[in-house]
Amino acid sequence: MLPVAGLVAAAIVFSPAGGAQAQSVEQFYAGKQVKFFIGSNAGTGYDSYSRLVGRFMTKHLPGHPIFLMMNMPGAGGVIVSNHLYNIAAKDGSEIAMLPRGAATQPLMNPKDTGPKYVATKFNWIGTPQQEVGLLLVRQPSPVQSIADVKTRELILASTSSISPSSYYPKVMNKLLGTKFKVVEGYKSSQESLLALERGEVEGHSSGSSSGPLRERIAPWIKEGKVKIIAQIGLERDSHFPDVPLIMDLATTTAERQVMELVFAQQLMAWPISAPPGVPADRVQALRDAFDATMKDPEFLAEAARQKILINPASGQKIAELLDRIYATPQEVLDRVTGLSENK
């Protein structure tokens, strides 16, 4: 029979709490499956990005677990966000790619009772792509800059009132004094671009600058049929160095705060997160594995083959952005409310 001291030592070593504390990240993940939830249906951009990242991230995560990809669409991302926050295991064995608007939804729409989570408490891992929208104007046109749209109406094609192609121009109308007129009802962004090409409308405000969009507009830009007059996001896309960033048009601190809140989802366009409560060393391992994946030559080559753009932002950068915008003064939040509504 063990002496009392021996029994205490054995309890520390073999109790669940003691075992968890002593277990290394590599020991935890070795031989495990990591559930990777995707907040959309198969075949979407979220699905493509998630599966590509998950395929290579295991290579850089200690223990090299298998990533089990699981689609969980519904309610604009609220279902997967609520699951990750409230139901998923808090040990690092479950992560998710959340829809880009999920993090700011509780702040932008405080009366919405659907979200059951606190966005700043998620353990953000990173996004493989920061999105930048492009404001396209058909040429020839008297509109050559945002300043021109303050004195002349410009008709844009859009899909629906809740899409970036409608939301962003309406925000600019109220914030910057532009005169965009948005024609909604086009079935897709490609159909909106076709309307632009045909001359049915004068422009289009894209929510992103995806590979397919760039391919579509590249010959138009080269031939002078279309001009990009603004980039819509928090950071400039280096592919368009001479096109002004919408953030740079803010003239006051309050305007800049509003824009940062409205366009936050552009930076965290395809955000991967772990639940709150995951041990810090496993969160760091997940972040390190993500960061290493973003620099992996094989990953980058496969992304290029699939025409998937990669311009990552770290989990730390996302967390800092959300901490900042969730500290936005109430008077600025009040200004954001109703920005996209018609006058």
Side-chain angles (χ1 to χ4, degrees), residues 7-315:
L7 288 171
V8 172
I12 293 173
V13 171
F14 294 109
S15 70
Q21 290 170 358
Q23 193 176 34
S24 71
V25 172
E26 184 173 5
Q27 288 171 330
F28 173 76
Y29 281 116
K32 269 197 172 57
Q33 286 187 339
V34 172
K35 293 180 180 178
F36 192 140
F37 296 99
I38 307 166
S40 70
N41 291 307
T44 62
Y46 289 101
D47 188 69
S48 299
Y49 270 111
S50 296
R51 292 179 187 278
L52 180 62
V53 172
R55 175 180 160 189
F56 284 89
M57 199 167 153
T58 179
K59 173 181 172 183
H60 300 284
L61 188 61
H64 310 297
I66 295 172
F67 279 72
L68 183 62
M69 313 307 293
M70 306 174 70
N71 293 88
M72 187 180 284
V78 171
I79 289 176
V80 68
S81 301
N82 285 345
H83 174 87
L84 188 69
Y85 193 89
N86 299 292
I87 300 173
K90 308 298 191 292
D91 59 0
S93 64
E94 297 189 36
I95 63 175
M97 181 175 281
L98 308 180
R100 67 189 61 170
T104 55
Q105 175 70 5
L107 189 62
M108 302 281 278
N109 299 286
K111 294 182 180 180
D112 187 350
T113 59
K116 308 295 183 185
Y117 55 84
V118 179
T120 54
K121 292 186 178 181
F122 281 117
N123 284 300
W124 299 98
I125 296 168
T127 175
Q129 170 70 0
Q130 303 173 58
E131 288 295 0
V132 178
L134 301 177
L135 186 50
L136 310 173
V137 177
R138 193 173 190 270
Q139 299 295 309
S141 170
V143 173
Q144 298 295 309
S145 68
I146 287 289
D148 293 332
V149 194
K150 292 182 180 182
T151 59
R152 183 190 182 281
E153 183 179 83
L154 190 74
I155 301 173
L156 305 179
S158 176
T159 52
S160 70
S161 61
I162 62 172
S163 72
S165 54
S166 276
Y167 179 63
Y168 291 156
K170 291 176 183 178
V171 166
M172 285 186 275
N173 282 349
K174 291 200 171 181
L175 200 58
L176 301 177
T178 51
K179 297 182 177 181
F180 293 111
K181 179 180 179 180
V182 182
V183 178
E184 298 164 353
Y186 290 95
K187 294 180 181 179
S188 66
S189 58
Q190 290 299 313
E191 191 171 293
S192 295
L193 290 172
L194 182 60
L196 172 63
E197 185 178 25
R198 289 173 173 170
E200 296 173 14
V201 294
E202 299 169 285
H204 175 65
S205 178
S206 73
S208 69
S209 52
S210 64
L213 173 73
R214 293 183 195 221
E215 273 196 66
R216 182 75 179 270
I217 67 174
W220 299 351
I221 295 172
K222 185 177 181 180
E223 296 166 15
K225 294 180 178 179
V226 162
K227 181 176 181 178
I228 306 173
I229 65 169
Q231 299 185 51
I232 305 172
L234 295 186
E235 296 184 3
R236 187 184 301 272
D237 188 322
S238 60
H239 291 91
F240 308 103
D242 299 325
V243 179
L245 182 68
I246 198 72
M247 290 290 293
D248 295 337
L249 301 179
T251 57
T252 66
T253 299
E255 281 185 358
R256 190 165 187 84
Q257 286 178 315
V258 169
M259 286 189 181
E260 186 171 55
L261 178 54
V262 170
F263 301 130
Q265 60 181 274
Q266 292 290 77
L267 183 142
M268 50 187 304
W270 314 91
I272 301 171
S273 180
V278 176
D281 59 341
R282 295 176 195 169
V283 172
Q284 191 59 54
L286 288 165
R287 286 181 169 182
D288 289 346
F290 173 83
D291 292 344
T293 298
M294 296 300 103
K295 300 174 184 176
D296 187 324
E298 292 183 8
F299 166 80
L300 294 172
E302 180 59 23
R305 189 189 70 79
Q306 295 186 31
K307 297 181 180 178
I308 293 177
L309 300 177
I310 303 297
N311 179 24
S314 68

